[in-house]
Amino acid sequence: MVKEWRLIDEKPDRDYRVFKVNILKALSPRTNAVSEFYTIDTNDWVNIIPVTEKKEVVMIKQYRHGSKGITLEIPGGLVDDEHPVEAALRELKEETGYTGDRVSYLGAVNPNPAIFNNLCHTYLVEDVKKTDEKNLDPDEDIEVVLVSLSDVPGLIEKGKINHALVVVAFYLYFAKTNMGVLNP
């Protein structure tokens, strides 16, 4: 039976502005050996599925340095010193210029429990409207695109939407709306 490891020591290694790397030493309950692990300490994240009255998803295209390519995603970002729903509405407005009041919480996932300590919360914002101009961070370059909600499963299947946290967000959306938990 799997047991929790006993933490022997934890210390910061490096601070990279949006996350910190920590070094942990932990004792294996199976072997009694001490091993070293690196973890990433960061704030929670939010993802937003913004849907217009016409059942179009407000999506964004942006260049991602990790994959060295342009991705098709939903708006999202870091939770600062605020509630995740406030962060979601802020990120939606900043990245797209769209706003909305009909907000539903779809759920949260751990992006990668092997190394991350945070959660990614997903919100549905219905009947969004373009009310402002984008207000991008200096390192952001975002194009807003409207995608029919009915096209999303095919875009995922074809790999056009391949960001894991975006795919999970749509899974949460379709699971809850198809089960009647939310009315699309």
Side-chain angles (χ1 to χ4, degrees):
M1 181 174 266
V2 176
K3 296 178 183 171
E4 290 190 17
W5 291 48
R6 185 166 63 89
L7 183 62
I8 305 295
D9 187 37
E10 180 175 9
K11 62 183 178 186
D13 183 39
R14 302 252 170 109
D15 187 332
Y16 293 99
R17 193 174 46 108
V18 295
F19 66 87
K20 296 174 185 166
V21 176
N22 296 315
I23 302 172
L24 281 67
K25 289 186 180 174
L27 178 72
S28 167
R30 184 178 62 81
T31 66
N32 286 321
V34 175
S35 297
E36 192 171 85
F37 301 91
Y38 294 87
T39 61
I40 298 173
D41 182 20
T42 187
N43 290 5
D44 282 0
W45 303 329
V46 290
N47 264 340
I48 307 96
I49 298 177
V51 180
T52 68
E53 219 173 50
K54 295 180 180 178
K55 300 297 181 213
E56 294 172 311
V57 181
V58 180
M59 298 192 73
I60 59 175
K61 287 184 178 181
Q62 62 182 321
Y63 181 83
R64 291 299 196 175
H65 293 278
S67 61
K68 295 179 179 60
I70 296 171
T71 60
L72 179 61
E73 303 178 12
I74 52 179
L78 279 172
V79 177
D80 292 327
D81 295 325
E82 61 205 328
H83 189 279
V85 72
E86 293 167 350
L89 294 172
R90 175 182 49 78
E91 288 288 344
L92 173 62
K93 184 177 179 182
E94 287 176 1
E95 292 187 355
T96 68
Y98 281 76
T99 59
D101 295 327
R102 292 186 52 211
V103 182
S104 302
Y105 186 66
L106 297 178
V109 296
N110 185 311
N112 184 344
I115 57 173
F116 283 102
N117 71 332
N118 68 330
L119 296 175
C120 182
H121 303 272
T122 300
Y123 290 90
L124 168 66
V125 183
E126 297 176 275
D127 299 331
V128 297
K129 293 175 178 49
K130 175 102 165 115
T131 58
D132 293 285
E133 293 302 313
K134 295 183 286 187
N135 184 19
L136 302 177
D137 293 337
D139 294 334
E140 290 179 314
D141 186 16
I142 291 173
E143 176 188 351
V144 176
V145 294
L146 299 177
V147 174
S148 173
L149 188 55
S150 62
D151 291 342
V152 169
L155 291 169
I156 293 171
E157 186 178 345
K158 292 176 185 154
K160 301 291 184 189
I161 298 172
N162 66 0
H163 186 310
L165 294 175
V166 175
V167 172
V168 167
F170 281 117
Y171 168 81
L172 292 170
Y173 170 81
F174 287 117
K176 289 199 175 186
T177 57
N178 287 338
M179 293 184 325
V181 177
L182 297 172
N183 295 319

